[in-house]
Amino acid sequence: AQRVTQPEKLLSVFKGAPVELKCNYSYSGSPELFWYVQYSRQRLQLLLRHISRESIKGFTADLNKGETSFHLKKPFAQEEDSAMYYCALKNRGSQGNLIFGKGTKLSVKP
Amino acid sequence: ETGVTQSPTHLIKTRGQQVTLRCSSQSGHNTVSWYQQALGQGPQFIFQYYREEENGRGNFPPRFSGLQFPNYSSELNVNALELDDSALYLCASSYRTSGSYEQYFGPGTRLTVT
């Protein structure tokens, strides 16, 4: 079965501390994975996707097929990073629809 | 460029009633997907429309139905509402090509069933 697991409901760090938001997936074959973010009172938006291998707002995520993980990392957290983060997996054989994890709320304290 | 819009923002319905939610896709997009997000959960795929036809469906009963119009806008209809249908309903549009299917989300419609 295709599944995305985000084990932490809430992650609280201090400004300047490193951040790692965990995401594990279940998928046979080559997955296509994404991180979406939702800031307070804003809509869900794409943060990054693994195929782009990009860094957005200082965040990176590396696909580890051996550990079936796609953790989101940032070396120095900022207060404006506080938001809800969702890991998502493109559904096999679909035209782009996504399977989401339950999300992790990141709180960055001053 | 206009983003994805949804209406209404909020609504309250009674169990057993029917509801229609509306979505206008982002300019240039030809595919619309609907998701249900229950409290404390991630969005769950309901179905997708492309060229006015359903093009994939998640694990939702037939009382969840939809339409896509020639201008690519879309409706989600839910019949015989149940208390568990209370959720945020998200619409996402994308441009279907052979490559990326990046989805752009609307702000959502908050449905409360009493």
Side-chain angles (χ1 to χ4, degrees):
Chain A
Q2 302 171 81
R3 188 169 54 246
V4 174
T5 304
Q6 294 181 251
E8 304 142 326
K9 290 185 71 172
L10 173 65
L11 183 63
S12 186
V13 301
F14 286 101
K15 177 182 173 181
V19 170
E20 182 178 67
L21 298 164
K22 291 183 167 53
C23 172
N24 289 90
Y25 66 90
S26 174
Y27 188 90
S28 298
S30 296
E32 190 170 343
L33 287 149
F34 306 82
W35 276 99
Y36 278 79
V37 61
Q38 187 168 28
Y39 300 103
S40 179
R41 287 183 289 278
Q42 293 188 27
R43 63 188 65 192
L44 198 60
Q45 57 186 289
L46 179 66
L47 180 62
L48 54 79
R49 72 194 87 183
H50 90 272
I51 58 173
S52 301
R53 301 186 65 81
E54 58 202 342
S55 173
I56 303 294
K57 298 184 180 183
F59 284 97
T60 58
D62 290 320
L63 176 62
N64 185 323
K65 290 187 178 180
E67 296 183 358
T68 60
S69 68
F70 186 57
H71 302 329
L72 183 67
K73 300 177 184 179
K74 184 169 183 177
F76 308 103
Q78 303 299 315
E79 289 181 68
E80 55 267 29
D81 295 329
S82 295
M84 201 68 194
Y85 290 80
Y86 294 94
C87 183
L89 169 69
K90 180 174 172 291
N91 198 354
R92 180 197 305 283
S94 75
Q95 299 304 327
N97 73 71
L98 301 167
I99 299 168
F100 284 87
K102 292 185 177 183
T104 298
K105 183 174 181 179
L106 175 64
S107 175
V108 181
K109 299 177 180 178
Chain B
E1 186 177 271
T2 306
V4 179
T5 60
Q6 292 185 244
S7 64
T9 305
H10 301 88
L11 76 165
I12 300 173
K13 290 287 188 177
T14 302
R15 190 171 49 185
Q17 285 187 317
Q18 178 266 342
V19 69
T20 298
L21 311 182
R22 294 178 175 83
C23 170
S24 291
S25 59
Q26 182 162 313
S27 176
H29 286 180
N30 56 14
T31 302
V32 173
S33 301
W34 286 91
Y35 293 82
Q36 180 195 65
Q37 187 173 20
L39 200 61
Q41 304 292 317
Q44 187 174 359
F45 175 69
I46 302 174
F47 45 55
Q48 184 181 81
Y49 277 83
Y50 171 66
R51 290 185 176 177
E52 302 176 53
E53 291 191 0
E54 189 178 289
N55 182 49
R57 188 178 184 93
N59 189 25
F60 280 82
R63 60 189 184 84
F64 285 77
S65 63
L67 285 172
Q68 187 181 32
F69 300 99
N71 66 353
Y72 305 123
S73 65
S74 177
E75 287 182 354
L76 164 65
N77 299 289
V78 187
N79 293 322
L81 282 166
E82 301 176 0
L83 296 179
D84 285 348
D85 296 333
S86 295
L88 181 68
Y89 287 84
L90 297 171
C91 167
S93 74
S94 57
Y95 183 70
R96 179 171 167 171
T97 67
S98 59
S100 170
Y101 297 97
E102 179 175 345
Q103 299 198 358
Y104 293 79
F105 284 84
T109 293
R110 173 76 60 189
L111 172 64
T112 302
V113 182
T114 62

